[in-house]
mmCIF file of all heavy atoms in Angstrom:
data_model
loop_
_atom_site.group_PDB
_atom_site.id
_atom_site.type_symbol
_atom_site.label_atom_id
_atom_site.label_comp_id
_atom_site.label_asym_id
_atom_site.label_seq_id
_atom_site.Cartn_x
_atom_site.Cartn_y
_atom_site.Cartn_z
ATOM 1 N N LYS A 13 111.280 18.718 36.532
ATOM 2 C CA LYS A 13 112.638 19.232 36.338
ATOM 3 C C LYS A 13 113.102 19.947 37.609
ATOM 4 O O LYS A 13 112.374 20.744 38.190
ATOM 5 C CB LYS A 13 112.661 20.188 35.150
ATOM 6 C CG LYS A 13 114.041 20.668 34.735
ATOM 7 C CD LYS A 13 113.956 21.614 33.537
ATOM 8 C CE LYS A 13 113.498 20.897 32.285
ATOM 9 N NZ LYS A 13 113.550 21.782 31.094
ATOM 10 N N HIS A 14 114.313 19.628 38.031
ATOM 11 C CA HIS A 14 114.887 20.253 39.229
ATOM 12 C C HIS A 14 116.044 21.163 38.821
ATOM 13 O O HIS A 14 116.798 20.850 37.901
ATOM 14 C CB HIS A 14 115.407 19.203 40.206
ATOM 15 C CG HIS A 14 114.380 18.206 40.628
ATOM 16 N ND1 HIS A 14 113.388 18.489 41.548
ATOM 17 C CD2 HIS A 14 114.177 16.922 40.248
ATOM 18 C CE1 HIS A 14 112.632 17.424 41.715
ATOM 19 N NE2 HIS A 14 113.091 16.455 40.933
ATOM 20 N N GLU A 15 116.182 22.266 39.527
ATOM 21 C CA GLU A 15 117.312 23.163 39.317
ATOM 22 C C GLU A 15 118.056 23.331 40.637
ATOM 23 O O GLU A 15 117.441 23.518 41.681
ATOM 24 C CB GLU A 15 116.844 24.524 38.795
ATOM 25 C CG GLU A 15 116.208 24.448 37.407
ATOM 26 C CD GLU A 15 115.887 25.829 36.857
ATOM 27 O OE1 GLU A 15 116.182 26.820 37.555
ATOM 28 O OE2 GLU A 15 115.347 25.908 35.748
ATOM 29 N N GLU A 16 119.381 23.258 40.565
ATOM 30 C CA GLU A 16 120.188 23.341 41.779
ATOM 31 C C GLU A 16 121.483 24.056 41.468
ATOM 32 O O GLU A 16 122.167 23.747 40.487
ATOM 33 C CB GLU A 16 120.475 21.937 42.315
ATOM 34 C CG GLU A 16 121.368 21.909 43.549
ATOM 35 C CD GLU A 16 121.614 20.493 44.019
ATOM 36 O OE1 GLU A 16 120.668 19.680 43.996
ATOM 37 O OE2 GLU A 16 122.756 20.187 44.394
ATOM 38 N N PHE A 17 121.835 25.018 42.306
ATOM 39 C CA PHE A 17 123.089 25.723 42.093
ATOM 40 C C PHE A 17 124.257 24.836 42.471
ATOM 41 O O PHE A 17 124.244 24.166 43.499
ATOM 42 C CB PHE A 17 123.140 27.011 42.914
ATOM 43 C CG PHE A 17 124.455 27.730 42.774
ATOM 44 C CD1 PHE A 17 124.725 28.453 41.628
ATOM 45 C CD2 PHE A 17 125.419 27.644 43.754
ATOM 46 C CE1 PHE A 17 125.937 29.101 41.468
ATOM 47 C CE2 PHE A 17 126.634 28.282 43.613
ATOM 48 C CZ PHE A 17 126.889 29.017 42.465
ATOM 49 N N SER A 18 125.273 24.810 41.628
ATOM 50 C CA SER A 18 126.471 24.000 41.860
ATOM 51 C C SER A 18 127.652 24.907 42.163
ATOM 52 O O SER A 18 128.055 25.721 41.334
ATOM 53 C CB SER A 18 126.783 23.136 40.634
ATOM 54 O OG SER A 18 128.087 22.601 40.716
ATOM 55 N N GLU A 19 128.215 24.777 43.384
ATOM 56 C CA GLU A 19 129.399 25.545 43.737
ATOM 57 C C GLU A 19 130.571 25.152 42.843
ATOM 58 O O GLU A 19 131.394 25.977 42.466
ATOM 59 C CB GLU A 19 129.769 25.294 45.212
ATOM 60 C CG GLU A 19 128.750 25.827 46.209
ATOM 61 C CD GLU A 19 128.844 27.323 46.384
ATOM 62 O OE1 GLU A 19 129.740 27.937 45.768
ATOM 63 O OE2 GLU A 19 128.028 27.892 47.119
ATOM 64 N N ALA A 20 130.648 23.853 42.507
ATOM 65 C CA ALA A 20 131.784 23.367 41.726
ATOM 66 C C ALA A 20 131.776 23.932 40.312
ATOM 67 O O ALA A 20 132.814 24.309 39.771
ATOM 68 C CB ALA A 20 131.778 21.843 41.685
ATOM 69 N N PHE A 21 130.580 23.984 39.678
ATOM 70 C CA PHE A 21 130.485 24.476 38.315
ATOM 71 C C PHE A 21 130.273 25.984 38.262
ATOM 72 O O PHE A 21 130.431 26.603 37.211
ATOM 73 C CB PHE A 21 129.326 23.791 37.579
ATOM 74 C CG PHE A 21 129.596 22.359 37.221
ATOM 75 C CD1 PHE A 21 128.622 21.387 37.417
ATOM 76 C CD2 PHE A 21 130.808 21.978 36.689
ATOM 77 C CE1 PHE A 21 128.862 20.057 37.083
ATOM 78 C CE2 PHE A 21 131.062 20.656 36.353
ATOM 79 C CZ PHE A 21 130.087 19.698 36.547
ATOM 80 N N GLY A 22 129.881 26.579 39.380
ATOM 81 C CA GLY A 22 129.615 28.011 39.379
ATOM 82 C C GLY A 22 128.378 28.377 38.579
ATOM 83 O O GLY A 22 128.310 29.448 37.991
ATOM 84 N N GLY A 23 127.397 27.490 38.549
ATOM 85 C CA GLY A 23 126.173 27.738 37.800
ATOM 86 C C GLY A 23 125.082 26.788 38.228
ATOM 87 O O GLY A 23 125.263 25.955 39.110
ATOM 88 N N THR A 24 123.924 26.886 37.599
ATOM 89 C CA THR A 24 122.770 26.066 37.943
ATOM 90 C C THR A 24 122.748 24.813 37.080
ATOM 91 O O THR A 24 122.864 24.896 35.854
ATOM 92 C CB THR A 24 121.470 26.856 37.736
ATOM 93 O OG1 THR A 24 121.504 28.021 38.563
ATOM 94 C CG2 THR A 24 120.258 26.013 38.115
ATOM 95 N N ILE A 25 122.624 23.655 37.712
ATOM 96 C CA ILE A 25 122.477 22.413 36.966
ATOM 97 C C ILE A 25 120.993 22.041 36.944
ATOM 98 O O ILE A 25 120.246 22.329 37.880
ATOM 99 C CB ILE A 25 123.319 21.270 37.567
ATOM 100 C CG1 ILE A 25 122.970 21.039 39.047
ATOM 101 C CG2 ILE A 25 124.794 21.557 37.424
ATOM 102 C CD1 ILE A 25 123.675 19.844 39.652
ATOM 103 N N VAL A 26 120.570 21.435 35.853
ATOM 104 C CA VAL A 26 119.168 21.082 35.633
ATOM 105 C C VAL A 26 119.102 19.575 35.439
ATOM 106 O O VAL A 26 119.825 19.024 34.606
ATOM 107 C CB VAL A 26 118.596 21.799 34.403
ATOM 108 C CG1 VAL A 26 117.097 21.554 34.285
ATOM 109 C CG2 VAL A 26 118.898 23.293 34.461
ATOM 110 N N TYR A 27 118.234 18.905 36.210
ATOM 111 C CA TYR A 27 118.244 17.446 36.162
ATOM 112 C C TYR A 27 116.866 16.875 36.505
ATOM 113 O O TYR A 27 115.958 17.584 36.934
ATOM 114 C CB TYR A 27 119.288 16.888 37.132
ATOM 115 C CG TYR A 27 119.032 17.219 38.590
ATOM 116 C CD1 TYR A 27 118.271 16.379 39.403
ATOM 117 C CD2 TYR A 27 119.550 18.380 39.166
ATOM 118 C CE1 TYR A 27 118.033 16.678 40.730
ATOM 119 C CE2 TYR A 27 119.315 18.694 40.488
ATOM 120 C CZ TYR A 27 118.554 17.841 41.271
ATOM 121 O OH TYR A 27 118.312 18.143 42.586
ATOM 122 N N TYR A 28 116.739 15.556 36.283
ATOM 123 C CA TYR A 28 115.538 14.805 36.644
ATOM 124 C C TYR A 28 115.921 13.708 37.627
ATOM 125 O O TYR A 28 116.980 13.082 37.498
ATOM 126 C CB TYR A 28 114.907 14.157 35.407
ATOM 127 C CG TYR A 28 114.369 15.140 34.403
ATOM 128 C CD1 TYR A 28 115.145 15.532 33.323
ATOM 129 C CD2 TYR A 28 113.094 15.669 34.530
ATOM 130 C CE1 TYR A 28 114.664 16.438 32.390
ATOM 131 C CE2 TYR A 28 112.598 16.569 33.606
ATOM 132 C CZ TYR A 28 113.388 16.954 32.542
ATOM 133 O OH TYR A 28 112.906 17.846 31.625
ATOM 134 N N SER A 29 115.067 13.471 38.597
ATOM 135 C CA SER A 29 115.240 12.348 39.512
ATOM 136 C C SER A 29 113.972 11.499 39.481
ATOM 137 O O SER A 29 112.908 11.964 39.085
ATOM 138 C CB SER A 29 115.520 12.839 40.938
ATOM 139 O OG SER A 29 114.484 13.697 41.385
ATOM 140 N N ASN A 30 114.114 10.250 39.855
ATOM 141 C CA ASN A 30 113.012 9.269 39.905
ATOM 142 C C ASN A 30 112.524 8.853 38.515
ATOM 143 O O ASN A 30 112.464 7.664 38.215
ATOM 144 C CB ASN A 30 111.835 9.776 40.744
ATOM 145 C CG ASN A 30 112.222 10.061 42.177
ATOM 146 O OD1 ASN A 30 112.981 9.296 42.764
ATOM 147 N ND2 ASN A 30 111.738 11.143 42.742
ATOM 148 N N ALA A 31 112.146 9.806 37.678
ATOM 149 C CA ALA A 31 111.621 9.438 36.356
ATOM 150 C C ALA A 31 111.803 10.599 35.387
ATOM 151 O O ALA A 31 111.831 11.765 35.781
ATOM 152 C CB ALA A 31 110.152 9.054 36.438
ATOM 153 N N ALA A 32 111.928 10.248 34.120
ATOM 154 C CA ALA A 32 112.019 11.249 33.060
ATOM 155 C C ALA A 32 111.567 10.609 31.760
ATOM 156 O O ALA A 32 111.596 9.380 31.610
ATOM 157 C CB ALA A 32 113.442 11.785 32.923
ATOM 158 N N GLY A 33 111.126 11.421 30.831
ATOM 159 C CA GLY A 33 110.702 10.922 29.531
ATOM 160 C C GLY A 33 111.274 11.770 28.408
ATOM 161 O O GLY A 33 111.464 12.981 28.563
ATOM 162 N N PHE A 34 111.549 11.124 27.283
ATOM 163 C CA PHE A 34 112.104 11.823 26.124
ATOM 164 C C PHE A 34 111.271 11.439 24.899
ATOM 165 O O PHE A 34 111.116 10.251 24.598
ATOM 166 C CB PHE A 34 113.582 11.455 25.940
ATOM 167 C CG PHE A 34 114.398 11.717 27.173
ATOM 168 C CD1 PHE A 34 114.577 10.720 28.127
ATOM 169 C CD2 PHE A 34 114.939 12.965 27.408
ATOM 170 C CE1 PHE A 34 115.297 10.964 29.286
ATOM 171 C CE2 PHE A 34 115.668 13.223 28.559
ATOM 172 C CZ PHE A 34 115.845 12.216 29.512
ATOM 173 N N LYS A 35 110.728 12.445 24.206
ATOM 174 C CA LYS A 35 109.787 12.189 23.126
ATOM 175 C C LYS A 35 110.275 12.824 21.820
ATOM 176 O O LYS A 35 110.789 13.946 21.832
ATOM 177 C CB LYS A 35 108.407 12.757 23.462
ATOM 178 C CG LYS A 35 107.754 12.137 24.683
ATOM 179 C CD LYS A 35 106.382 12.748 24.929
ATOM 180 C CE LYS A 35 105.679 12.097 26.115
ATOM 181 N NZ LYS A 35 104.328 12.670 26.334
ATOM 182 N N GLN A 36 110.116 12.097 20.738
ATOM 183 C CA GLN A 36 110.436 12.613 19.415
ATOM 184 C C GLN A 36 109.335 12.212 18.441
ATOM 185 O O GLN A 36 109.070 11.035 18.243
ATOM 186 C CB GLN A 36 111.784 12.067 18.931
ATOM 187 C CG GLN A 36 112.143 12.463 17.516
ATOM 188 C CD GLN A 36 112.337 13.973 17.348
ATOM 189 O OE1 GLN A 36 113.240 14.547 17.931
ATOM 190 N NE2 GLN A 36 111.467 14.616 16.572
ATOM 191 N N LYS A 37 108.696 13.206 17.841
ATOM 192 C CA LYS A 37 107.654 12.924 16.850
ATOM 193 C C LYS A 37 108.298 12.648 15.492
ATOM 194 O O LYS A 37 109.344 13.210 15.158
ATOM 195 C CB LYS A 37 106.687 14.096 16.741
ATOM 196 C CG LYS A 37 105.820 14.302 17.981
ATOM 197 C CD LYS A 37 104.832 15.445 17.782
ATOM 198 C CE LYS A 37 103.956 15.620 19.014
ATOM 199 N NZ LYS A 37 102.986 16.727 18.847
ATOM 200 N N PHE A 38 107.643 11.778 14.719
ATOM 201 C CA PHE A 38 108.133 11.482 13.376
ATOM 202 C C PHE A 38 106.967 10.992 12.530
ATOM 203 O O PHE A 38 105.870 10.727 13.025
ATOM 204 C CB PHE A 38 109.246 10.422 13.420
ATOM 205 C CG PHE A 38 108.800 9.062 13.870
ATOM 206 C CD1 PHE A 38 108.380 8.093 12.950
ATOM 207 C CD2 PHE A 38 108.785 8.718 15.219
ATOM 208 C CE1 PHE A 38 107.979 6.842 13.348
ATOM 209 C CE2 PHE A 38 108.367 7.471 15.639
ATOM 210 C CZ PHE A 38 107.967 6.520 14.710
ATOM 211 N N LYS A 39 107.203 10.885 11.238
ATOM 212 C CA LYS A 39 106.220 10.302 10.328
ATOM 213 C C LYS A 39 106.945 9.366 9.369
ATOM 214 O O LYS A 39 108.181 9.415 9.233
ATOM 215 C CB LYS A 39 105.480 11.390 9.569
ATOM 216 C CG LYS A 39 106.349 12.246 8.668
ATOM 217 C CD LYS A 39 105.523 13.328 7.991
ATOM 218 C CE LYS A 39 106.377 14.195 7.079
ATOM 219 N NZ LYS A 39 105.577 15.252 6.422
ATOM 220 N N LEU A 40 106.180 8.514 8.730
ATOM 221 C CA LEU A 40 106.749 7.599 7.745
ATOM 222 C C LEU A 40 106.814 8.301 6.394
ATOM 223 O O LEU A 40 105.836 8.918 5.955
ATOM 224 C CB LEU A 40 105.907 6.332 7.641
ATOM 225 C CG LEU A 40 105.797 5.488 8.929
ATOM 226 C CD1 LEU A 40 104.875 4.298 8.696
ATOM 227 C CD2 LEU A 40 107.159 5.032 9.413
ATOM 228 N N LYS A 41 107.974 8.228 5.761
ATOM 229 C CA LYS A 41 108.112 8.848 4.441
ATOM 230 C C LYS A 41 107.110 8.245 3.456
ATOM 231 O O LYS A 41 106.503 8.954 2.651
ATOM 232 C CB LYS A 41 109.538 8.667 3.939
ATOM 233 C CG LYS A 41 110.584 9.421 4.759
ATOM 234 C CD LYS A 41 111.983 9.161 4.222
ATOM 235 C CE LYS A 41 113.021 9.895 5.053
ATOM 236 N NZ LYS A 41 114.397 9.626 4.565
ATOM 237 N N ASP A 42 106.971 6.915 3.522
ATOM 238 C CA ASP A 42 105.970 6.209 2.724
ATOM 239 C C ASP A 42 104.993 5.577 3.696
ATOM 240 O O ASP A 42 105.315 4.596 4.374
ATOM 241 C CB ASP A 42 106.633 5.141 1.854
ATOM 242 C CG ASP A 42 105.641 4.484 0.889
ATOM 243 O OD1 ASP A 42 104.425 4.563 1.145
ATOM 244 O OD2 ASP A 42 106.091 3.893 -0.113
ATOM 245 N N ALA A 43 103.807 6.177 3.826
ATOM 246 C CA ALA A 43 102.847 5.748 4.842
ATOM 247 C C ALA A 43 102.332 4.338 4.619
ATOM 248 O O ALA A 43 101.701 3.761 5.513
ATOM 249 C CB ALA A 43 101.673 6.722 4.879
ATOM 250 N N ALA A 44 102.605 3.749 3.461
ATOM 251 C CA ALA A 44 102.099 2.401 3.185
ATOM 252 C C ALA A 44 103.117 1.321 3.527
ATOM 253 O O ALA A 44 102.811 0.131 3.456
ATOM 254 C CB ALA A 44 101.702 2.292 1.712
ATOM 255 N N LYS A 45 104.345 1.753 3.879
ATOM 256 C CA LYS A 45 105.395 0.775 4.168
ATOM 257 C C LYS A 45 105.827 0.850 5.627
ATOM 258 O O LYS A 45 105.734 1.910 6.246
ATOM 259 C CB LYS A 45 106.597 1.014 3.260
ATOM 260 C CG LYS A 45 106.324 0.761 1.785
ATOM 261 C CD LYS A 45 107.588 0.966 0.974
ATOM 262 C CE LYS A 45 107.347 0.702 -0.509
ATOM 263 N NZ LYS A 45 108.579 0.905 -1.319
ATOM 264 N N PRO A 46 106.321 -0.277 6.177
ATOM 265 C CA PRO A 46 106.816 -0.269 7.559
ATOM 266 C C PRO A 46 108.048 0.625 7.693
ATOM 267 O O PRO A 46 108.740 0.906 6.712
ATOM 268 C CB PRO A 46 107.158 -1.737 7.832
ATOM 269 C CG PRO A 46 106.445 -2.509 6.782
ATOM 270 C CD PRO A 46 106.384 -1.626 5.574
ATOM 271 N N GLY A 47 108.297 1.052 8.904
ATOM 272 C CA GLY A 47 109.504 1.827 9.207
ATOM 273 C C GLY A 47 110.317 1.131 10.282
ATOM 274 O O GLY A 47 109.858 0.169 10.915
ATOM 275 N N GLU A 48 111.511 1.606 10.466
ATOM 276 C CA GLU A 48 112.391 1.023 11.485
ATOM 277 C C GLU A 48 112.966 2.160 12.320
ATOM 278 O O GLU A 48 113.709 3.006 11.809
ATOM 279 C CB GLU A 48 113.505 0.226 10.814
ATOM 280 C CG GLU A 48 114.193 -0.732 11.762
ATOM 281 C CD GLU A 48 115.117 -1.690 11.021
ATOM 282 O OE1 GLU A 48 114.617 -2.586 10.309
ATOM 283 O OE2 GLU A 48 116.332 -1.507 11.145
ATOM 284 N N VAL A 49 112.607 2.196 13.598
ATOM 285 C CA VAL A 49 113.026 3.274 14.492
ATOM 286 C C VAL A 49 114.344 2.903 15.160
ATOM 287 O O VAL A 49 114.470 1.826 15.742
ATOM 288 C CB VAL A 49 111.958 3.550 15.570
ATOM 289 C CG1 VAL A 49 112.482 4.543 16.606
ATOM 290 C CG2 VAL A 49 110.695 4.087 14.925
ATOM 291 N N VAL A 50 115.299 3.792 15.060
ATOM 292 C CA VAL A 50 116.557 3.665 15.798
ATOM 293 C C VAL A 50 116.618 4.839 16.767
ATOM 294 O O VAL A 50 116.786 5.990 16.352
ATOM 295 C CB VAL A 50 117.780 3.678 14.860
ATOM 296 C CG1 VAL A 50 119.062 3.564 15.680
ATOM 297 C CG2 VAL A 50 117.690 2.553 13.847
ATOM 298 N N ALA A 51 116.436 4.557 18.066
ATOM 299 C CA ALA A 51 116.439 5.599 19.098
ATOM 300 C C ALA A 51 117.761 5.535 19.858
ATOM 301 O O ALA A 51 118.126 4.495 20.387
ATOM 302 C CB ALA A 51 115.267 5.415 20.052
ATOM 303 N N GLU A 52 118.454 6.647 19.929
ATOM 304 C CA GLU A 52 119.755 6.708 20.598
ATOM 305 C C GLU A 52 119.709 7.775 21.677
ATOM 306 O O GLU A 52 119.264 8.893 21.435
ATOM 307 C CB GLU A 52 120.854 7.028 19.583
ATOM 308 C CG GLU A 52 122.242 7.153 20.199
ATOM 309 C CD GLU A 52 123.294 7.518 19.157
ATOM 310 O OE1 GLU A 52 123.350 6.831 18.128
ATOM 311 O OE2 GLU A 52 124.026 8.498 19.376
ATOM 312 N N ILE A 53 120.177 7.423 22.862
ATOM 313 C CA ILE A 53 120.222 8.399 23.957
ATOM 314 C C ILE A 53 121.619 8.424 24.550
ATOM 315 O O ILE A 53 122.241 7.386 24.768
ATOM 316 C CB ILE A 53 119.168 8.090 25.049
ATOM 317 C CG1 ILE A 53 119.122 9.240 26.066
ATOM 318 C CG2 ILE A 53 119.418 6.749 25.733
ATOM 319 C CD1 ILE A 53 117.884 9.258 26.921
ATOM 320 N N MET A 54 122.122 9.634 24.759
ATOM 321 C CA MET A 54 123.404 9.836 25.415
ATOM 322 C C MET A 54 123.131 10.621 26.698
ATOM 323 O O MET A 54 122.556 11.709 26.657
ATOM 324 C CB MET A 54 124.366 10.598 24.509
ATOM 325 C CG MET A 54 125.826 10.536 24.991
ATOM 326 S SD MET A 54 126.223 11.761 26.263
ATOM 327 C CE MET A 54 126.405 13.219 25.245
ATOM 328 N N TYR A 55 123.516 10.073 27.841
ATOM 329 C CA TYR A 55 123.149 10.667 29.123
ATOM 330 C C TYR A 55 124.240 10.406 30.154
ATOM 331 O O TYR A 55 125.117 9.563 29.974
ATOM 332 C CB TYR A 55 121.824 10.081 29.624
ATOM 333 C CG TYR A 55 121.914 8.610 29.979
ATOM 334 C CD1 TYR A 55 122.070 8.194 31.299
ATOM 335 C CD2 TYR A 55 121.860 7.626 28.993
ATOM 336 C CE1 TYR A 55 122.175 6.849 31.622
ATOM 337 C CE2 TYR A 55 121.959 6.284 29.305
ATOM 338 C CZ TYR A 55 122.120 5.900 30.625
ATOM 339 O OH TYR A 55 122.230 4.572 30.951
ATOM 340 N N GLN A 56 124.164 11.150 31.266
ATOM 341 C CA GLN A 56 125.061 10.923 32.398
ATOM 342 C C GLN A 56 124.229 10.830 33.668
ATOM 343 O O GLN A 56 123.257 11.562 33.839
ATOM 344 C CB GLN A 56 126.095 12.044 32.530
ATOM 345 C CG GLN A 56 127.127 11.776 33.632
ATOM 346 C CD GLN A 56 128.233 12.817 33.660
ATOM 347 O OE1 GLN A 56 127.998 13.996 33.424
ATOM 348 N NE2 GLN A 56 129.453 12.401 33.954
ATOM 349 N N THR A 57 124.635 9.927 34.550
ATOM 350 C CA THR A 57 123.934 9.690 35.808
ATOM 351 C C THR A 57 124.836 10.073 36.974
ATOM 352 O O THR A 57 126.014 9.721 36.986
ATOM 353 C CB THR A 57 123.543 8.208 35.942
ATOM 354 O OG1 THR A 57 122.993 7.753 34.709
ATOM 355 C CG2 THR A 57 122.530 8.016 37.056
ATOM 356 N N CYS A 58 124.289 10.796 37.959
ATOM 357 C CA CYS A 58 125.076 11.214 39.128
ATOM 358 C C CYS A 58 124.237 11.067 40.395
ATOM 359 O O CYS A 58 123.010 11.050 40.345
ATOM 360 C CB CYS A 58 125.525 12.669 39.008
ATOM 361 S SG CYS A 58 126.641 13.016 37.643
ATOM 362 N N ASP A 59 124.940 10.959 41.521
ATOM 363 C CA ASP A 59 124.293 11.155 42.818
ATOM 364 C C ASP A 59 125.107 12.215 43.550
ATOM 365 O O ASP A 59 125.845 12.966 42.928
ATOM 366 C CB ASP A 59 124.146 9.840 43.596
ATOM 367 C CG ASP A 59 125.478 9.252 44.047
ATOM 368 O OD1 ASP A 59 126.540 9.874 43.790
ATOM 369 O OD2 ASP A 59 125.470 8.172 44.666
#
């Protein structure tokens, strides 16, 4: 994780470069049946 002060925003922005990972733990409500994972990510990319 990188932190950088932004003159434009007047605060510190926090970001990842090169690589990042997002993890969410879960369990199956019925452990004997298959599940269907729907993963949604909302993000913004800048240089």
Side-chain angles (χ1 to χ4, degrees):
K13 187 180 292 186
H14 304 284
E15 295 186 1
E16 177 180 320
F17 177 76
S18 166
E19 293 283 357
F21 287 136
T24 301
I25 56 175
V26 187
Y27 62 90
Y28 294 95
S29 57
N30 300 319
F34 305 91
K35 298 181 177 181
Q36 175 64 64
K37 292 183 179 180
F38 66 92
K39 63 182 180 180
L40 299 177
K41 294 178 181 179
D42 186 340
K45 294 182 179 180
E48 197 170 289
V49 172
V50 179
E52 178 182 309
I53 188 163
M54 194 277 282
Y55 67 99
Q56 185 174 37
T57 315
C58 296
D59 67 2

